[in-house]
Amino acid sequence: MRRGFHGGLSLLFITLLALAAGAEPRFEVSLDQTTVRVGESATLTMTFTDCNPGAPNVPQIPGLQFSGGGSFTQYSNDNGQTSVQASYTVEVQPTHAGDFVIPAMTVDAGGTRLTSRALTLKAVQGNAPQNNSGPETAMVRVAPGVTRMYLGQVIPIEIQCYFLNNVDRPQMPQFNGNNFIIGALPTNPDRSRSQQGNNLYNCFNFRTTATATRAGVQSLGPVNWSMNEWYGQRDIFGRLSRTRPLTVTSDPVQITVLPIPTNGAPASFHGAIGKFALAQYDAGPVSVNVGDPITLKIRIAGTGSFDTVALPASEQEWREFKTYPATSKFEPSDAMQMQGSKYFEQVITPLNAEVKQLPAFAFSFFDPATAAFHTLNHAPVPLSVHAIAATPQPTVIASSASAPESQQENQDIVHIKPLAGAVAMAAPPLVRQPWFLALQILPPLAWVCALFWRRQKEKLANSPRLRRHRDVARKVREGLAQLPAQAAANDAAQFHATILRLLQEQLGERLDLPGPAITEAVLDDIKGLDAGALALLRELFRACDQYRYTPEHTSQALASLIPKVKTALDALQKMPGAGEGAGRAVLQGAGVALLLLAGANAARAQAVGDLFLQSNKLYEEGKYSQSAAGYEQLLRTGQVSPAIYFNAGNAWFKAGEIGRAIYDYRRAEQLAPRDPDIRANLGIARAKAGATAASLPGGKWTRWVARLTLNEWALAASCAAALFFLVLAARQFSPAFGKSSAGLPGLLAAAAVWLLICLSLSVNQRLLEKTAICTQTEAVARRGPMEVSQSAFTAHDGQEMSVLGRDGDWLQVSDALHQIGWLPAKDVAQIP
């Protein structure tokens, strides 16, 4: 079985070598560190590329001991070319200090002789423990992943800190030296124990990265490490009595930094260093009109210095397109951020209908492992670009007339929406509406009522009245069961005595009076019984009284009284209350009101739809100013929807009113923050206004909270809080539910608190922090709220500013550069 397994591996290896046919075999050797301390070891790695003659024989060198060993195979694919690397490792340990040379090794690979380069290993005493003076308390060393690197290459390094148990309060290591950029040290390093000489040390291993900024032989380090050392005499408990500061310093490590070769560098190489792959290249849409946006999404994955990874830019290749600045995002997959993916997203627009394809994509990088350039390619993407017919130009007579609206037309925005969508009356947000705030009291009130009910139930369970109620109910059941037997036996005396006793017990329980004291006279004071029930009770009382004078009764006559007794007792137990008719009338009135309201909404929706369609028609005819006026008229009536604001923004944009367009896009975004069309057109309008970023108030968290509307956050927080109190109420009604849901209230409380925090951020952004947008070509912001005040800065059409205050018809604003000034309110549109 084992022989077949090895045979399969050999066949797979031969197949991969066949795929790599034509590649030049190589043999390389390397040391993971060129300077070690006596007693420690370095790893010698012998790597064969596109060949595998087997593990070579390492020459015997006086003063060096070779032990252990391992092997591994790595396969890679670069643009369809398969490469195989077989590596063998050996541990090298010096027996004394000095400089050692590992000579070049020669192997035979299928008739081709391959020779490696010679290596030098230096062994030093350094901070290693000395047997004649006792062990060192602490020591630190720098262990780079390689000792030969390229300028701009990022390499892994380790800072190994060894210390005995008499060390207290160790500090973070401090890296000294220039010509290297050192990555951040982890606050939680790897911890282990290590045998150094004859002593067992604790070890902190800080893993980070280093990037060379200068070519040549450079010193990496030294590293200083400070701590407190306990020393002196030990007390009776074995503890040292005194401390002193201690700082240990590592030996610097010499790194050979090579410049990146310029010979053979591709034209698409812009400094990327590492080993990368083109993991994604998408472009869409591919069928557009002239001026419509196309989004490129590119992901480059691999290992290396991602700070050097950037999109290639060639104005010659993209001369038929208008390009916007690309955005990028890096997502690491390891703690040192050497591996991961970098995402790019760029918007471009074709300038004419002759464009047939996107240019081919080429990204080049330099691989330090192979000391060679590599290029990642993607074929051109076919495009279908449609021309847009020009609108006839009207003749301009008056010199004061504005430019023809068709000249303002720009096709790089998403088209208007054909339907108005869900139209609603403009209203304050839910957090400002009294009915919504009052509604929040109901769930806590339900919980308080449930808690009160539970306590009352426990209280009544031990009350005499409740016991009497249950006892009377039992007596009534038993008495009613006895009456048929007594009537059948014609036992009139016992029959009438049972009836009288049942009536007295039931009336006494309801009136909280002793049963024997109940007579027919108490019926005059009973409230809540109808006349029929009272008459029936009087008849029964009189029948019991008259029995004394007419004791002769037949069984049939006695049995005829039993249904009347049951009816009377049921009436006493139920005693229905008044007000049902009034409640029914209220419900009927509410239904009529809802029907009238629905009819009014239908009529209003019809009127909104007509004006909306008229404005859409004006837009399609190129009458953008008239179309925008129609949308604004609709908005002034209080009818709002994301589609109305969006179309109004489009009309203002086409009419050249960028500030008004941004204002309407912002209002649409407040109602539908996740609509991609709104976000796209808002970004284009901001770019046309010359703004690189929106001057929105708040930071990263408030911008994240803006993904939901204020009403959505209010409803989510309200539902979470209501569910929390309703669960608490249910636990009062059902003890079994309380036991089975022990952790549920905690989870709901955490969710409610988190949603309330998000709601507070949304309230702060939506209601407290205001934004104003300049709607004039140029508006002078002054140092005071007067026309005669000195100018502070000039705001341009579409510029977004934060509102700091108001004084009459003047607004105090601050722009993205934190310039503060006063603008007339008529020159800006304020986001409410």
Side-chain angles (χ1 to χ4, degrees), residues 417-660:
K417 297 183 182 295
L419 300 177
V423 180
M425 287 296 296
L430 291 178
V431 294
R432 282 188 171 178
Q433 299 196 29
W435 68 267
F436 180 81
L437 298 178
L439 196 63
Q440 307 313 305
I441 304 176
L442 296 182
L445 185 61
W447 171 61
V448 172
C449 292
L451 189 62
F452 179 79
W453 174 86
R454 178 69 179 273
R455 292 182 178 178
Q456 287 297 109
K457 182 180 179 181
E458 294 174 355
K459 182 179 179 180
L460 292 175
N462 301 319
S463 67
R465 187 166 184 174
L466 180 60
R467 289 198 299 270
R468 183 181 181 185
H469 174 77
R470 293 175 178 174
D471 185 61
V472 168
R474 178 182 58 79
K475 290 180 179 180
V476 168
R477 289 194 302 269
E478 293 175 355
L480 290 175
Q482 294 171 1
L483 288 177
Q486 294 171 354
N490 200 18
D491 189 355
Q494 187 64 33
F495 181 85
H496 286 91
T498 301
I499 292 176
L500 180 61
R501 177 172 54 85
L502 293 180
L503 294 176
Q504 288 177 330
E505 290 291 344
Q506 189 65 66
L507 280 169
E509 184 268 333
R510 286 304 176 97
L511 300 178
D512 198 18
L513 294 174
I518 300 298
T519 63
E520 183 182 355
V522 302
L523 298 178
D524 298 331
D525 300 326
I526 292 180
K527 306 295 182 182
L529 283 178
D530 60 343
L534 286 172
L536 185 58
L537 287 171
R538 292 183 188 277
E539 178 184 351
L540 292 174
F541 270 103
R542 290 170 183 172
C544 293
D545 290 338
Q546 292 174 0
Y547 163 73
R548 302 174 186 176
Y549 308 104
T550 57
E552 295 80 17
H553 291 81
T554 63
S555 297
Q556 292 80 4
L558 295 178
S560 64
L561 292 177
I562 295 177
K564 297 181 179 180
V565 174
K566 291 182 179 180
T567 302
L569 291 175
D570 290 339
L572 288 175
Q573 292 172 353
K574 295 178 180 179
M575 284 192 180
E580 291 183 355
R584 186 177 300 108
V586 171
L587 292 177
Q588 291 175 352
V592 172
L594 289 176
L595 290 176
L596 293 176
L597 182 61
N601 286 338
R604 184 179 61 195
Q606 180 64 32
V608 170
D610 293 340
L611 186 53
F612 183 84
L613 293 178
Q614 291 175 11
S615 301
N616 280 4
K617 183 178 180 181
L618 291 172
Y619 182 94
E620 298 294 350
E621 293 173 355
K623 301 175 181 179
Y624 302 121
S625 296
Q626 298 178 32
S627 174
Y631 295 125
E632 295 296 336
Q633 179 184 352
L634 189 58
L635 294 171
R636 282 194 296 271
T637 63
Q639 317 297 320
V640 297
S641 75
I644 298 176
Y645 276 118
F646 177 83
N647 288 10
N650 275 17
W652 286 123
F653 183 89
K654 297 288 186 169
E657 300 282 347
I658 305 303
R660 295 183 181 274

Side-chain angles (χ1 to χ4, degrees), residues 36-39 62-64 93-100 121-126 130:
V36 297
R37 290 172 175 78
V38 176
L64 296 182
Q93 185 175 21
T95 58
H96 57 82
D99 294 332
F100 302 91
L121 178 64
K122 182 177 182 179
V124 296
Q125 293 293 341
Q130 302 294 329

